Amino acid sequence: MQINQQHWLEPVRALNSPFYNQRPSDEISLLVIHCISLPEGQFGLPYIDDLFCGCLDCQADASFAELQGLQVSAHLLINRLGEVTQYVPFNLRAWHAGTSSYAGREGCNDFSIGIELEGCDSQGYSEAQYQSLVEVSQALLKRYPLLNKQRIVAHSDIAPSRKTDPGPFFDWPRYLAAL
């Protein structure tokens, strides 16, 4: 995998999210690992793409009612099969972290890349997801020199009062050792 001059990962599936804007600077110095499933604990459905692309039918499941009007995106999603979809170029600010801080600095979206793993806090992740996450992370570490292993965090690390993802079943030692 490689990142092209337009900050898109190749070769992966690309869908354009409307939920992004310019970063306040060119700094990309944090990688945030998330998890998502819609509905919670169900995999392989089109709803994550729909959410990030602004076309989620909030009537499709009762649990989606709280997502009405939500404007959220990530740079990437890695599904259970290890397939990668990119929604926002890395040089732009995806809206994945929400109210957040890292090392005393507020607004992590300003300087981070967000990767969503299709999953939930109560289950482990697939072999294919770890393999793709390692490949993607290696490409990011190579392309953006301010990123390093010490600047890869969980969503729960930057928003501990709000978030728990990617959860206790994410194997941090395995992932970081593979980088």
Side-chain angles (χ1 to χ4, degrees):
M1 290 187 184
Q2 64 181 9
I3 300 166
N4 69 25
Q5 291 185 350
Q6 291 76 38
H7 301 270
W8 288 91
L9 188 63
E10 295 177 334
V12 303
R13 178 175 171 246
L15 291 176
N16 291 304
S17 173
F19 306 129
Y20 70 90
N21 56 3
Q22 295 294 318
R23 294 181 186 272
S25 74
D26 291 338
E27 179 185 345
I28 297 172
S29 62
L30 189 67
L31 179 57
V32 181
I33 308 299
H34 303 259
C35 75
I36 187 172
S37 55
L38 293 175
E40 179 74 20
Q42 295 184 34
F43 310 127
L45 302 172
Y47 301 122
I48 298 169
D49 286 344
D50 293 349
L51 176 66
F52 291 160
C53 292
C55 59
L56 179 65
D57 176 4
C58 290
Q59 306 298 316
D61 187 271
S63 67
F64 296 171
E66 64 189 39
L67 302 175
Q68 185 70 45
L70 185 66
Q71 296 183 345
V72 64
S73 62
H75 289 93
L76 300 175
L77 168 72
I78 301 173
N79 72 16
R80 304 297 284 184
L81 301 175
E83 298 165 340
V84 180
T85 300
Q86 185 168 359
Y87 302 94
V88 176
F90 299 122
N91 64 318
L92 298 174
R93 178 171 44 195
W95 302 345
H96 62 94
T99 303
S100 56
S101 67
Y102 177 76
R105 188 171 172 192
E106 302 293 318
C108 294
N109 285 339
D110 290 351
F111 55 94
S112 68
I113 290 172
I115 298 177
E116 293 276 2
L117 299 173
E118 184 180 33
C120 59
D121 289 0
S122 60
Q123 294 184 42
Y125 296 90
S126 73
E127 182 68 33
Q129 285 179 296
Y130 282 109
Q131 183 178 344
S132 291
L133 179 61
V134 167
E135 290 177 30
V136 166
S137 298
Q138 289 171 336
L140 291 168
L141 291 168
K142 182 178 178 183
R143 176 68 167 80
Y144 302 104
L146 297 178
L147 289 177
N148 59 55
K149 282 187 188 183
Q150 292 72 39
R151 295 188 65 87
I152 301 174
V153 299
H155 195 192
S156 58
D157 293 330
I158 62 169
S161 62
R162 296 185 311 108
K163 298 296 180 177
T164 58
D165 58 313
F169 292 95
F170 183 76
D171 191 342
W172 283 102
R174 172 189 177 173
Y175 165 56
L176 293 172
L179 297 179

